[in-house]
Amino acid sequence: MPDVAIVGTGQTDHKSRRDDVNIPELAREAVDRALADAGVTFAEIDAVCFGNMDLFEGLAENEHWLASTFGAEGKPLLKFNTGGTVGTSTTMGAYYLLKAGFYGRILAVGFEKQAEGNSQGAITTVGDPIWERPMMAGAIGNHAVMASTYVADSGVTEEQAAKVAVKARRNACLNPHAHLKLPDITVEQVLESKMLAYPLRTLDMCPTSNGACAMVMAGDGHAQKLAARPAWIAAVASAHDQSFQGDSPKRMSEMRSLIAVRERLYAKMGITDPVSQLDVAEIYEPQSYAELAMCENLLFCEKGGGGRFIDAGTPLIDGELPVNPSGGVLSTNPIGATAMIRVAEAAMQVMGRAGDHQVKPDVQTALATGYGGNAWSDALILTARQPSR
Amino acid sequence: MSEPRFPEEPLFVSAELTLRYRYGAGSEAAHYLEGLKERMAFEGTHCPKCERVYLPPRPVCGICYVGCDGWLPVGPEGTITGATVVEVPFVDPITGEQRPVPYGFAFILLDGASTNIFHFVDETDRRKLGVGMRVRPRFRAERTGSITDVEGFDLIREEGP
């Protein structure tokens, strides 16, 4: 089966409002940038994969009126409708099609215009209507409870979580596409920001963003023509947990779906010491405590060591394993694009195109993850080296 | 041919949707909700292979891929495994109205169950609410055979001297 690579990426400059464009225009900005980055036109694209959740903007079957936006007339146009993982589901869908040899070049797109949508209303329908929905407390209430379990297990302090929030918004200042850029943010400001649901404060949470991300992906033979240094997809993994939110005993603290994908990816890649074997990680961290919990689950540090991990500076942009040098989800969250941004940012690092937040000139191995509640994890390993060669 | 003209202020079009749904609850729900209504009893389904007791109840164990073989009583008391005090407004999924804040919210492992449920807790001081605390359910006097027959959980507080 052919190797598959990312050969071009494009993002909008993510913002809290984009009243100057409609949804197709917003998505098209990222598409045009990705095509330009790869040096291709629509004529050279064989198929399009795109991701978006119907209920968030109240638009069912939007593939019809978005077809022109994606240059998809007369071509296969596949839509992915998963939740927080939609950006990685779309990427992995495109990867499977290329890997199977059906197509040579695919355009992948994810977008969200939250200012025009009803994200909270849509999220109320995530829970099982019989068993869960009447008691749901929204994404923030749910994340706060998960964080409380993680705090009880790990002893992570509010100050340590605040350091994650600070890291993200300072890294964002180096990323022209990032939304929430706070160059002078301090731990004290995070701790003084409004309490949403203990232990989560406003600055512990991701923002509400509008934006889009697109990537040109290509199979062996095509990829080398489109990029001097393609970001090869060396391994992918996806795993679900059981049906209900309370099924996983420790939830985020021991996230079974993330542990499952980690085990598969690391086994395939021969990774036994991720901090030394990975050059950079772009993980889907919806809030500050989650990043530390996920770093534990990804074995970036020992169990219960998330606080010491950030204290030691290991995940800082100049640390031994930079985590989310882009500013991460804490700085930018256009939900339908968020997970694809993780992959695109990891690809930019491998391709050497991350600009001011490039962690080092020669990134060989990068990890990207997607998060769909605790119930679903996706993860990909990108490499500079072509997998089968 | 004329040039396109753009308005000085962005133009918006509003839309409002009211959608009604009616979901089949399944046979486990029928048994379980009758127990809540008639006996104020919690019951979970038992996996014969791994011995997990599932709440919400379900016909199959997703870990062993075998059918559950019956019902076991769980609770009514339980232990908090995660908790918060929600201070940010959120639209109540049932009423469509914003739920008043603050309110206590927790994941609870009922005694004898292997999986957590989540519910409201009668404590809004976050310093008095935490992992490991014990709770008991507060049932409504008028029960209709709904999951909301349990109004919430109360902390089992130490009796004063």
Side-chain angles (χ1 to χ4, degrees):
Chain A
M1 289 192 288
D3 291 326
V4 175
I6 295 158
V7 296
T9 69
Q11 293 180 52
T12 55
D13 297 339
H14 314 295
K15 291 180 176 9
S16 57
R17 295 196 73 89
R18 282 300 308 275
D19 291 347
D20 56 318
V21 292
N22 65 14
I23 289 170
E25 289 165 343
L26 181 78
R28 184 61 178 262
E29 285 182 9
V31 168
D32 284 344
R33 287 176 175 179
L35 295 176
D37 193 42
V40 296
T41 65
F42 279 135
E44 296 160 80
I45 297 293
D46 302 326
V48 180
C49 295
F50 90 102
N52 175 249
M53 292 85 79
D54 289 353
L55 205 52
F56 278 61
E57 281 98 357
L59 299 165
E61 297 186 35
N62 53 2
E63 60 270 26
H64 297 312
W65 56 276
L66 282 162
S68 300
T69 303
F70 302 147
E73 290 103 329
K75 295 175 186 172
L77 172 59
L78 275 165
K79 179 181 181 178
F80 296 78
N81 201 179
T82 65
T85 52
V86 72
T88 39
S89 303
T90 306
T91 304
M92 289 165 68
Y95 166 80
Y96 298 141
L97 291 168
L98 291 162
K99 191 81 180 161
F102 286 109
Y103 308 109
R105 290 162 300 237
I106 290 182
L107 173 68
V109 192
F111 62 90
E112 199 80 66
K113 204 164 182 212
Q114 290 208 62
E116 290 181 11
N118 189 342
S119 301
Q120 285 290 334
I123 287 170
T124 62
T125 68
V126 168
D128 181 283
I130 309 300
W131 301 106
E132 297 183 317
R133 209 177 286 181
M135 287 81 73
M136 282 174 63
I140 290 169
N142 194 22
H143 271 287
V145 173
M146 282 191 276
S148 80
T149 305
Y150 173 59
V151 167
D153 279 357
S154 67
V156 157
T157 65
E158 295 176 34
E159 289 76 11
Q160 288 167 329
K163 286 182 184 178
V164 175
V166 167
K167 168 176 75 73
R169 282 52 177 265
R170 287 189 184 162
N171 286 352
C173 298
L174 303 171
N175 175 1
H177 305 300
H179 172 189
L180 194 61
K181 303 177 190 193
L182 303 170
D184 302 318
I185 186 175
T186 63
V187 165
E188 291 70 32
Q189 282 173 356
V190 177
L191 297 177
E192 286 163 11
S193 65
K194 181 177 155 47
M195 183 65 78
L196 302 174
Y198 185 82
L200 297 180
R201 295 176 167 84
T202 305
L203 286 170
D204 287 308
M205 286 299 298
C206 54
T208 302
S209 310
N210 300 275
C213 180
M215 300 192 297
V216 177
M217 299 167 63
D220 196 3
H222 301 283
Q224 295 91 334
K225 291 177 192 157
L226 296 174
R229 186 179 163 104
W232 295 100
I233 299 176
V236 304
S238 180
H240 273 265
D241 205 317
Q242 287 181 276
S243 298
F244 295 99
Q245 295 188 41
D247 284 354
S248 187
K250 291 288 187 177
R251 309 190 73 215
M252 185 170 272
S253 189
E254 282 176 32
M255 202 171 141
R256 296 194 299 199
S257 62
L258 186 58
I259 290 168
V261 300
R262 175 254 286 170
E263 286 175 348
R264 272 177 240 161
L265 279 191
Y266 289 4
K268 170 134 199 248
M269 299 299 297
I271 291 175
T272 52
D273 178 11
V275 170
S276 65
Q277 289 174 277
L278 296 173
D279 294 310
V280 63
E282 278 285 341
I283 66 172
Y284 194 129
E285 89 308 9
Q287 34 98 347
S288 57
Y289 292 85
E291 176 168 316
L292 298 177
M294 289 170 171
C295 286
E296 291 185 21
N297 288 321
L298 289 164
L299 302 183
F300 295 173
C301 58
E302 75 278 13
K303 174 115 184 77
R308 291 186 294 281
F309 181 67
I310 183 76
D311 282 344
T314 311
L316 301 183
I317 195 163
D318 57 355
E320 194 179 354
L321 175 57
V323 177
N324 294 0
S326 67
V329 187
L330 283 170
S331 301
T332 304
N333 187 31
I335 304 173
T338 299
M340 190 178 291
I341 292 171
R342 307 276 70 71
V343 184
E345 286 287 345
M348 288 157 60
Q349 293 284 349
V350 171
M351 297 171 82
R353 295 182 187 175
D356 289 343
H357 61 291
Q358 181 78 36
V359 297
K360 60 182 181 183
D362 180 25
V363 169
Q364 282 289 327
T365 308
L367 171 77
T369 71
Y371 170 81
N374 285 343
W376 191 344
S377 291
D378 287 339
L380 302 90
I381 300 253
L382 308 183
T383 58
R385 182 175 168 275
Q386 188 173 344
S388 69
R389 302 258 165 112
Chain B
M1 210 158 54
S2 62
E3 291 291 309
R5 288 189 304 145
F6 292 96
E8 299 211 343
E9 289 295 314
L11 186 65
F12 286 91
V13 179
S14 294
E16 191 165 328
L17 296 178
T18 303
L19 305 172
R20 296 189 184 281
Y21 298 92
R22 188 163 173 267
Y23 300 107
S27 53
E28 274 71 27
H31 177 100
Y32 181 86
L33 296 176
E34 188 195 10
L36 282 189
K37 181 184 176 185
E38 302 299 333
R39 292 174 279 117
M40 293 191 285
F42 297 96
E43 289 178 272
T45 51
H46 171 258
C47 171
K49 193 166 171 192
C50 69
E51 303 285 344
R52 280 183 178 83
V53 180
Y54 281 108
L55 202 68
R58 63 205 70 182
V60 172
C61 173
I63 293 186
C64 303
Y65 307 129
V66 301
C68 290
D69 62 355
W71 295 85
L72 284 176
V74 295
E77 294 183 358
T79 304
I80 288 178
T81 57
T84 189
V85 175
V86 179
E87 299 184 39
V88 63
F90 177 70
V91 173
D92 188 307
I94 300 304
T95 64
E97 304 293 323
Q98 291 216 330
R99 193 183 285 148
V101 289
Y103 59 89
F105 180 68
F107 272 63
I108 296 162
L109 191 62
L110 291 186
D111 295 344
S114 306
T115 53
N116 301 276
I117 57 169
F118 54 90
H119 223 302
F120 309 115
V121 181
D122 72 330
E123 181 57 71
T124 56
D125 182 345
R126 63 177 173 81
R127 287 161 299 189
K128 297 179 182 170
L129 185 61
V131 171
M133 292 183 180
R134 298 281 295 165
V135 292
R136 70 166 66 93
R138 183 173 65 258
F139 280 87
R140 293 181 198 277
E142 298 286 323
R143 293 183 301 281
T144 60
S146 155
I147 196 82
T148 56
D149 283 351
V150 180
E151 196 173 6
F153 281 77
D154 295 333
L155 285 179
I156 300 175
R157 296 173 172 84
E158 296 295 325
E159 296 299 327

